Amino acid sequence: MTIELHTWNTPNGRKISVALEEMGLPYKVVPVNITKGEQMAPGFLKLSPNNKIPAILDPEGPDGKPVSIFESGAILLYLGEKTGKFLPKSLGERIPVYEWLMWQMGGFGPMPGQVHHFIALENEQDRAYGLKRYMAETRRLYGVLDRRLDSREFVAGNLSVADFAILGWAWRHPRHKVDLADFPNVKRWYETLMARPAVKRGMEAKLD
């Protein structure tokens, strides 16, 4: 049964295409052109009450019934539960996955997202304040991630959905004006992930 991935070519969309490829789940992309406001359409609202991409429709959900899921973190956890992949079985091993997934959702996404916003403004005065504030916080978050990866290959020990979530945003590091050479552990982690065939497929999947 093919999962529908309703999305656009954004970091949050890439999280899910990478996860689906890594988990070996069949899926088809249903583009939602956010530049044209298609995320506000009534049909999409039924899948995503917050009018945000991505969302998925799994025709073979719990008890074999169709289910839709919105919010990228919830989708990743659902897919991990569904497949038993990239989400440890024991609670002790899940804790760091939960921690670093929430770290991404609460910080390493919203803060770089503000950089994306302010860097696109034409008014130099408006740009200057926002970029100074949010670029500093974005670099701080890269530093947090770099320290975490100093003694482990992946953020939660073994490869997990938390890595896929963070990778979706680290993928945009050039847009954040961040040179990964300044964060060598992040650079090593990033290059390791991007070299994986399934990650490569997920990153190259046409989402728009």
Side-chain angles (χ1 to χ4, degrees):
M1 301 290 281
T2 300
I3 291 174
E4 291 183 4
L5 170 57
H6 296 250
T7 192
W8 196 242
N9 187 26
T10 70
N12 288 333
R14 289 293 166 194
K15 297 177 193 177
I16 310 307
S17 60
V18 165
L20 288 165
E21 291 285 354
E22 284 282 358
M23 294 174 184
L25 289 169
Y27 69 100
K28 69 175 181 180
V29 175
V30 180
V32 180
N33 190 335
I34 60 176
T35 68
K36 295 182 178 180
E38 290 180 0
Q39 73 275 21
M40 307 304 292
F44 183 68
L45 181 64
K46 293 178 180 179
L47 299 179
S48 179
N50 198 31
N51 294 108
K52 300 287 187 180
I53 58 96
I56 67 168
L57 177 61
D58 183 357
E60 195 172 24
D63 301 319
K65 298 177 181 179
V67 65
S68 62
I69 303 111
F70 74 105
E71 288 294 331
S72 59
I75 294 169
L76 289 170
L77 290 173
Y78 168 76
L79 294 175
E81 292 279 2
K82 176 183 175 73
T83 63
K85 297 178 179 179
F86 306 109
L87 189 62
K89 295 191 184 306
S90 75
L91 179 58
E93 291 179 336
R94 282 190 182 208
I95 289 171
V97 177
Y98 292 155
E99 289 175 328
W100 287 93
L101 178 59
M102 299 308 140
W103 176 84
Q104 184 280 303
M105 300 293 295
F108 196 74
M111 294 302 103
Q114 293 299 319
V115 174
H116 295 182
H117 171 77
F118 281 100
I119 209 166
L121 296 182
E122 294 183 3
N123 184 292
E124 182 59 35
Q125 186 174 357
D126 291 343
R127 291 177 77 248
Y129 169 76
L131 288 177
K132 180 179 179 181
R133 175 181 174 85
Y134 292 109
M135 278 185 167
E137 176 62 7
T138 294
R139 288 190 65 86
R140 187 191 72 81
L141 291 167
Y142 272 96
V144 171
L145 180 59
D146 197 68
R147 290 191 297 275
R148 175 65 179 180
L149 292 167
D150 182 55
S151 58
R152 52 186 57 80
E153 186 175 10
F154 302 109
V155 294
N158 294 321
L159 183 62
S160 74
V161 293
D163 294 285
F164 304 153
I166 297 167
L167 180 66
W169 283 91
W171 166 60
R172 286 288 180 86
H173 68 272
R175 191 170 178 180
H176 305 159
K177 304 298 183 184
V178 169
D179 185 348
L180 292 187
D182 295 340
F183 304 95
N185 297 315
V186 176
K187 185 174 187 292
R188 182 264 309 158
W189 167 87
Y190 181 82
E191 291 176 348
T192 296
L193 281 173
M194 294 297 278
R196 294 175 65 89
V199 169
K200 182 176 174 63
R201 293 193 300 271
M203 285 297 183
E204 293 177 351
K206 184 171 176 54
L207 303 187
D208 53 16

